[in-house]
Structure formats: C-alpha cells, structure tokens
C-alpha cells in the first residue's frame, strides 16, 4: 500500500474546516425548529386533541416511515413540479426544512416518552397542593421530563449534524461535498475522506462533552 | 404631511427597486458536478477545469454574469428542469432523448467513448470484450445509455455510480469503466490510480449546453450559442482545450 499523502491532508484541513460553520448552522437551525415542532407534537400526543391527533399521527408516521434522502429529493426536486413557487427555496433552506420535519417526528416520540415517564401521581400531588395543571406541568413534570429526554435529544442532534452531509445532493457544498469534490480532482480518496471523517468525529466529541455538562445541570436536583 | 409621506414612499420604492434592477443584469446560472476531472473539479476549494474556462469566456463575450452551482451529477438534469439552473456545463452529450426535451447549443466538444481498465488487465482490449464483465458508468450519463444500446448489452453487468468510478476500477471491484476518451487519458496521466486505456474509442460523442425548451430558455441558448461561435472563430475554444488536454477537442478530429 502506498503511503498517505500527509502534505495533501494537511492542506485539505483548512478547506474542510471552512465548511464547518455551514454544517453547524444548518444543524443548529434545524435543531431549534425541530425542538419547537417536536414539543408541540409531543404535547398533542399526550393530550390527544380529537382530529388533530390523527393528523399528528399521520405526520409522524410519514416522516419516520420514509428515508431522509427521499424526503429531501421530494421537497427539492419533486414538489416544484407541482408548485413552481417552491423553486425559490434554495438548497440550504430545503435541507433545513427536511432535517426539521424528519427529526421532529423522531424527537416528538422521544419527548412524549419522557413526559409519560413522569409518574401520573406527581400531577395529582401537585394539583392537590393547589397548582393548576399548567403550573404542575411547568414546575414539576417538564423539568423531570427534560432530564429524561436530554440524552436522546443530544443523540438526535449528533445524527442531524452528520445528516447534513446529504445536503450535497441538493447542490449545497458542505463538508462532505467539499471532500468529495477534492477527492474527484486529486484521486486521493483515502486522504480526503479520512480528513472529513476526523473533523466530523472531533465535532461530535465536543458535543458529547457538552452533553455531559447538560446532564449534570439537569441532574442537579438529584445530586447527592 | 402627505408630501413627506409620498416622498418617503417614493424613496422606499427607489431603494427597493434599485438593487432589484441590478440583480436582473443577466445572470447565467451554470450547473456542474465539480467532480469530473479535468472538465470540472475542485482543488483547494477552487472550482476549475475546461468547462469553467469555457463558461467564463462565454460570459465575457455574451455579457452574462456566470454563476456556478455544483451538485451531484445525477441531480443536474432535475435542477435544470426545475428552473434552479439555466444550463449544465458538464460534458453533456447530445442524445435524441435529451434533444427532444432540451434546446442545445452547437457542440463545443467532440470526443469518443472509451473503455478503461485496471493497469495490467489486458483481457479487455475494447468494447467487444465487455461481454460477461462488470462495467462502471456515471449515473445518468450518456455512457450508460451507450452501454445499454450495445447489441450484447444483456451480457454486460452495468453498475451506475454517483461518483468515483475510477477508484472502483482501480480497486478491482469492477472490470472496467466507460467515460469519454479525453478525460480518461487525463485521469491516467495525472492521477496516481493504476489504470489503462482499453482499445480505441468506440463511439463519437458531441457535447453541448442544454437549455430549457421554452421561450426564455431558447433566447438564452441563442445568446450563448452566438458566444460559442465567436469563441470558436477567435481561437479561444481551441486555446482552452489545449490548456487542459494538450489537444483540440473542440473540432472533429482528423483521425
């Protein structure tokens, strides 16, 4: 096996790093939107509003039931044929939209499970001391649910961060797209893909440390 | 009071419409994969290659601002169809199917389809030896269609790829790949991959720029086509070709 072209790899690092802000921006925007949407969906799933519940079930079923890549292609290349206005949505927006809808469906289930995991008796106890349902939810149930949901939500964010690599299929040159193009020009595939893999890995490691800090913070009431 | 209001509104309209008018200063959005050496590729984050030079020259002659959009090869036609880009500069070969759907300029590259194998694989000396073999082609490329049109097509196992056909052939996962002759020769010469040309080119291909077949698309096509004629006549096309390929691939060869 011929040796690695170290000089090429070193030269590639700043090129790929230049795309880190775009990757982080897409993943972060999608995460914020997905958290909001997922919370609404989860609360609805717990409350089971008639009729609306059916729509939510359908939404979750579709976005969990089809691959993200299929959804992205459907929004970006498919829908504009039916609604020409959608041509105006650029690749970055389409990627954020796709990631949001896709991951919101998963995160809704995760948040719902976390809410349900807090024993019903706590709601009754809170109400027995005079709290309204809303107060009980905000002060007693949700802080505990957040603690349960946090690790899985961070997991989804990590997954989302890596899923941004699919945006290249929508014409967005992000980290993977940049590596792919550099590899196609230099034919140094191993070097190019190794560099991009290491950078993703380091980013996720940093996030994992953030996760530990977040868990410690949410666990503070339970610390002994 | 009303005068001030009117002035403010007028100023607002001017402020809004001024950049809008400027933006309309004919932009030609050109799609390419950015991963097809040496036609369109990236080195140290700089998009370059034969197609990039040709389109920049076209932009200069036709007074169009060229905007490059890179995306996976198989997504390009969809993007053109959906109006996300105005044309594709990625060695697009004129085929009857594509001609029925798109308005093409004159051909600006005339080339041949080429079989390429791993270095040392002398069992394949041309297209006829592909019987019973596994052959890689780029998804959505005309080379895929060329292979399917072979009289013995049912005996060839065709594998379609988004990218990296050169690498899979070098690794021995497939027996050969089929691409155009000039890029194949360039890849063999300039890449570290162990590859060799297998026999002579087997089919003439003519590359041109496709535009949407509507009023706007055809108008753009005519503008770009006129620019190509100018570039051909003043020798720019042949100059760009020599820069990237060492020969003139923009005219029918004498061989």
């Amino acid at each position: 096996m011929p040796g690695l072209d170290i000089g090429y790899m070193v030269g590639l690092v700043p090129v790929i790093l230049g795309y880190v802000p775009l990757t982080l921006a897409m993943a972060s925007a999608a995460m914020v939107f997905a958290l909001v949407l997922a919370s609404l969906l989860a609360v609805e799933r717990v409350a089971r509003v008639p009729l609306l519940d059916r729509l939510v079930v359908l939404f979750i079923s579709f976005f969990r039931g089809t691959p993200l890549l299929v959804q992205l292609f459907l929004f970006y290349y498919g829908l504009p044929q039916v609604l020409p206005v959608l041509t105006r949505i650029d690749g970055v927006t389409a990627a954020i939209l796709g990631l949001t809808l896709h991951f919101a469906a998963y995160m809704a289930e995760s948040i719902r499970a976390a809410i349900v995991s807090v024993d019903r008796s706590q709601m009754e106890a809170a109400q027995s001391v005079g709290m309204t349902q809303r107060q009980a939810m905000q002060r007693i149930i949700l802080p505990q649910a957040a603690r349960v949901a946090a690790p899985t939500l961070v997991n989804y964010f990590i997954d989302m961060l890596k899923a941004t690599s699919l945006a290249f299929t929508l014409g967005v040159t992000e980290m993977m797209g940049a590596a792919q193009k550099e590899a196609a020009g230099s034919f140094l595939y191993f070097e190019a893909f190794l560099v991009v893999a290491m950078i993703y890995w380091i980013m996720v490691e940093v996030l994992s440390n953030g996760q530990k800090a977040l868990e410690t913070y949410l666990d503070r009431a339970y610390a002994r | 009071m009303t005068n001030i209001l009117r002035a403010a509104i007028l100023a607002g309209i001017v402020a809004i419409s001024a950049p809008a008018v400027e933006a309309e200063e004919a932009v030609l959005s050109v799609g390419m994969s950015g991963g097809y050496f040496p036609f369109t590729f990236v080195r140290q984050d700089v998009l370059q290659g034969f197609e990039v030079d040709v389109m920049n020259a076209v932009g200069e002659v036709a007074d169009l601002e060229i905007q490059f959009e890179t995306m996976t090869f198989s997504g390009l036609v969809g993007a053109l169809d959906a109006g996300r880009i105005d044309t594709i500069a990625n060695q697009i070969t004129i085929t009857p199917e594509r001609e029925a759907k798109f308005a093409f300029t004159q051909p600006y590259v005339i080339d041949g389809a080429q079989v390429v194998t791993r270095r040392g694989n002398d069992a394949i000396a041309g297209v006829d030896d592909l019987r019973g073999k596994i052959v890689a082609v780029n998804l959505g490329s005309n080379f895929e269609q060329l292979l399917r049109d072979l009289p013995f097509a049912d005996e060839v196992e065709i594998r379609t790829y988004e990218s990296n056909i050169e690498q899979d052939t070098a690794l021995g996962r497939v027996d050969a790949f089929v691409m155009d002759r000039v890029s194949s020769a360039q890849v063999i010469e300039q890449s570290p991959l162990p590859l060799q040309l297998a026999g002579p080119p087997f089919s003439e291909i003519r590359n041109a720029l496709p535009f949407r077949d509507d009023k706007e698309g055809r108008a753009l096509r005519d503008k770009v086509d006129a620019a190509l004629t100018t570039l051909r006549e003043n020798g720019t096309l042949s100059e760009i070709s020599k820069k990237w390929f060492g020969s003139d691939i923009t005219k029918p060869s004498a061989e």
Side-chain angles (χ1 to χ4, degrees):
Chain A
M1 190 193 126
L4 282 182
D5 190 336
I6 302 291
Y8 175 73
M9 290 177 69
V10 171
L12 203 53
V13 169
V15 173
I16 305 291
L17 280 181
Y19 291 95
V20 167
L22 176 64
T23 293
L24 279 177
M26 284 197 290
S28 309
M31 186 69 187
V32 170
F33 295 141
L35 264 180
V36 172
L37 181 57
S39 305
L40 294 174
L41 293 175
V43 168
E44 192 292 320
R45 286 295 290 141
V46 174
R48 290 184 178 246
V49 181
L51 219 65
L52 186 63
D53 194 51
R54 289 195 165 184
L55 286 176
V56 171
V57 168
L58 185 70
F59 174 89
I60 293 177
S61 162
F62 178 78
F63 284 97
R64 280 209 309 181
T66 52
L68 177 57
L69 185 61
V70 174
Q71 292 161 14
L72 291 176
F73 273 45
L74 196 59
F75 294 137
Y76 196 68
Y77 296 113
L79 276 182
Q81 275 191 338
V82 191
L83 294 164
V85 223
L86 292 179
T87 318
R88 291 195 195 159
I89 298 180
D90 61 16
V92 175
T93 316
I96 292 173
L97 182 72
L99 289 169
T100 298
L101 298 176
H102 185 83
F103 281 93
Y106 282 94
M107 284 160 45
E109 291 296 276
S110 184
I111 295 172
R112 181 178 67 91
I115 295 174
V116 172
S117 78
V118 180
D119 201 282
R120 183 182 284 272
S121 62
Q122 296 205 22
M123 173 61 89
E124 289 162 3
Q127 284 178 320
S128 77
V129 295
M131 285 193 198
T132 63
Q133 193 168 7
R134 195 192 177 95
Q135 282 173 330
M137 205 66 181
Q138 275 176 359
R139 296 179 193 175
I140 308 294
I141 311 291
L142 288 182
Q144 296 182 72
R147 183 174 161 266
V148 176
T152 56
L153 294 180
V154 175
N155 232 1
Y156 283 126
F157 183 59
I158 289 172
D159 209 7
M160 205 182 245
L161 190 76
K162 293 181 292 183
T164 56
S165 60
L166 293 175
F168 186 45
T169 59
L170 307 188
V172 180
T173 301
E174 38 60 64
M175 288 166 60
M176 182 57 198
Q180 174 66 59
K181 285 194 284 187
E182 297 285 346
S186 66
F187 298 93
L188 296 170
Y189 299 95
F190 188 51
E191 284 87 341
F193 296 142
L194 191 58
V195 166
V196 76
M198 298 311 283
I199 293 177
Y200 273 118
W201 193 4
I202 292 168
M203 285 167 72
V204 172
E205 271 306 294
V206 171
L207 271 176
S208 300
N209 284 324
Q211 176 180 354
K212 275 185 207 127
L214 178 68
E215 281 181 33
T216 313
Y217 171 76
L218 291 172
D219 275 355
R220 69 200 181 284
Y222 298 83
R224 281 156 224 255
Chain B
M1 185 66 199
T2 45
N3 276 342
I4 296 170
L5 198 67
R6 196 178 298 159
I9 290 169
L10 268 176
I13 289 169
V14 170
I16 291 165
S17 55
V21 167
E22 214 172 301
E24 257 174 67
E25 189 200 297
V27 173
L28 184 71
S29 138
V30 179
M32 48 177 58
S33 70
Y36 192 56
F37 182 82
F39 283 91
T40 155
F41 66 101
V42 172
R43 223 165 247 175
Q44 287 290 298
D45 223 14
V46 178
L47 185 66
Q48 50 196 301
F50 172 82
E51 302 280 11
V52 174
D53 286 357
V54 169
M55 291 320 296
N56 281 332
V58 163
E60 230 162 84
V61 172
D63 199 24
L64 292 165
E65 193 198 319
I66 307 290
Q67 213 170 65
F68 294 109
E69 305 277 346
T70 52
M71 61 189 82
T72 47
F73 181 76
S74 57
L76 287 169
V77 172
L80 175 60
D81 217 16
R84 293 189 183 278
I85 49 177
D86 297 319
T87 187
I88 309 171
N90 204 105
Q91 247 222 332
I92 299 300
T93 297
I94 306 173
T95 63
E97 296 81 18
R98 287 176 183 160
E99 247 185 330
K101 192 162 170 51
F102 296 110
F104 275 97
T105 61
Q106 59 185 286
Y108 63 101
V109 168
I110 293 162
D111 194 10
Q114 175 72 49
V115 181
V116 181
T117 58
R118 190 186 155 85
R119 193 185 297 147
N121 179 2
D122 296 323
I124 299 174
V127 66
D128 293 330
D129 294 331
L130 292 180
R131 277 193 177 84
K133 297 289 194 293
I134 307 173
V135 185
V137 281
N138 280 317
L139 177 63
S141 72
N142 65 299
F143 301 110
E144 182 188 348
Q145 199 52 46
L146 272 181
L147 285 176
R148 298 200 190 284
D149 291 343
L150 290 174
F152 50 87
D154 49 346
E155 292 172 60
V156 181
E157 188 180 335
I158 301 166
R159 289 223 184 125
T160 50
Y161 284 69
E162 277 290 347
S163 50
N164 310 334
I165 55 175
E166 303 92 340
Q167 169 77 335
D168 251 21
T169 306
L171 292 174
R173 292 207 189 103
V174 295
D175 296 305
F177 71 80
V178 172
M179 206 162 79
D180 70 286
R181 178 182 55 92
V182 279
S183 337
S184 304
Q186 289 298 309
V187 167
I188 290 168
E189 196 187 306
Q190 301 199 11
S191 83
L193 302 179
L195 296 168
Q196 67 185 21
L197 297 179
F202 64 92
S203 171
E204 190 188 73
I205 52 178
R206 302 164 87 81
N207 305 141
L209 300 164
F211 288 83
R212 272 182 307 283
D213 200 7
D214 53 28
K215 207 175 138 210
E216 249 172 87
R218 279 191 299 267
L220 259 180
R221 189 269 313 265
D222 294 343
K223 211 169 172 182
V224 171
D225 193 64
L228 283 174
T229 306
T230 309
L231 293 170
R232 184 181 294 287
E233 281 165 3
N234 69 16
T236 310
L237 269 188
S238 131
E239 216 173 278
I240 296 173
S241 170
K242 281 183 184 138
K243 171 182 166 193
W244 292 103
F245 304 103
S247 61
D248 191 356
I249 61 164
T250 64
K251 290 188 197 105
S253 60
E255 52 179 332

